[in-house]
């Protein structure tokens, strides 16, 4: 198992990247859609946490292809997104305008495959974890509050 040797970070807000400079070896301020232009490095692992839901649908393909372009062959892409169709979200957080763009797990998986990623793992995170553990897969998809996808570049 490899340990983390070097970490870089990106954020759209310059104040966030300046605060993160003490944690990351290198930080970039800019649009995640320009990630390939921000770095000439290639990475073993790229993580995107709670970003995709803010990407306009016409840029989804670029989002995935740009992340693939900065990964080494067989590198990993860990993506977390909200499950917009979870029962929890529909009942307890029904704000329709909470996230600007609508998507589902199928959209993510389709885009990942088009960008030469294979799915290594897919799971949901649910506040009712004990119920979630014993539920059938179809119920897990409804209950999951968040989705995590571990993708590997082919």
């Amino acid at each position: 198992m490899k340990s983390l040797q070097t970490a870089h970070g990106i954020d759209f807000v310059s104040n966030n990247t300046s605060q993160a400079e003490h944690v990351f070896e290198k930080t970039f301020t800019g649009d995640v859609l320009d990630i390939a232009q921000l770095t000439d490095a290639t990475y073993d692992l790229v993580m995107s946490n709670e970003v995709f839901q803010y990407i306009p649908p016409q840029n989804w393909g670029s989002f995935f292809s740009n992340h693939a372009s900065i990964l080494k062959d067989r590198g990993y892409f860990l993506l977390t997104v909200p499950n917009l169709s979870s029962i929890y979200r529909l009942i307890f957080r029904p704000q329709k305008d909470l996230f600007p763009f609508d998507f589902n797990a199928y959209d993510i998986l389709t885009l990942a495959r088009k960008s030469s990623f294979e799915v290594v793992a897919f799971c949901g995170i649910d506040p009712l974890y004990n119920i979630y553990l014993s539920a059938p897969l179809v119920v897990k998809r409804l209950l999951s509050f968040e989705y995590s996808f571990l993708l590997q570049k082919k």
Side-chain angles (χ1 to χ4, degrees):
M1 181 173 174
K2 287 186 176 182
S3 63
L4 184 64
Q5 301 291 320
T6 303
H8 295 173
I10 180 174
D11 199 299
F12 190 70
V13 180
S14 61
N15 190 43
N16 292 347
T17 54
S18 63
Q19 289 180 19
E21 287 175 349
H22 72 281
V23 176
F24 296 106
E25 179 181 290
K26 192 173 188 179
T27 60
F28 305 99
T29 301
D31 191 331
V32 71
L33 293 173
D34 296 327
I35 195 168
Q37 285 75 44
L38 294 173
T39 180
D40 57 0
T42 54
Y43 300 92
D44 295 312
L45 170 67
V46 174
M47 299 184 327
S48 177
N49 298 313
E50 303 297 319
V51 173
F52 184 79
Q53 63 267 24
Y54 301 104
I55 303 297
Q58 66 269 21
N59 295 331
W60 289 353
S62 296
F63 176 85
F64 277 91
S65 62
N66 284 334
H67 281 78
S69 73
I70 65 168
L71 275 171
K72 294 178 181 176
D73 287 339
R74 307 303 294 162
Y76 293 96
F77 181 29
L78 178 61
L79 175 68
T80 62
V81 296
N83 175 6
L84 302 181
S85 59
S86 74
I87 291 173
Y88 174 85
R89 195 174 301 281
L90 295 173
I91 293 171
F92 298 108
R93 307 237 6 227
Q95 303 96 328
K96 297 294 182 198
D97 60 347
L98 188 61
F99 301 114
F101 305 107
D102 193 26
F103 62 90
N104 58 44
Y106 180 78
D107 295 329
I108 301 263
L109 295 171
T110 301
L111 290 159
R113 288 186 185 105
K114 285 182 181 177
S115 296
S116 299
F117 285 110
E118 54 190 355
V119 179
V120 175
F122 165 74
C123 69
I125 302 167
D126 187 81
L128 306 171
Y129 191 68
N130 290 334
I131 296 171
Y132 179 83
L133 286 176
S134 60
L137 185 57
V138 68
V139 174
K140 287 180 183 180
R141 288 186 181 147
L142 290 172
L143 290 176
S144 294
F145 185 65
E146 303 288 331
Y147 283 142
S148 293
F149 301 86
L150 181 59
L151 310 169
Q152 188 173 34
K153 183 177 175 181
K154 292 181 185 177

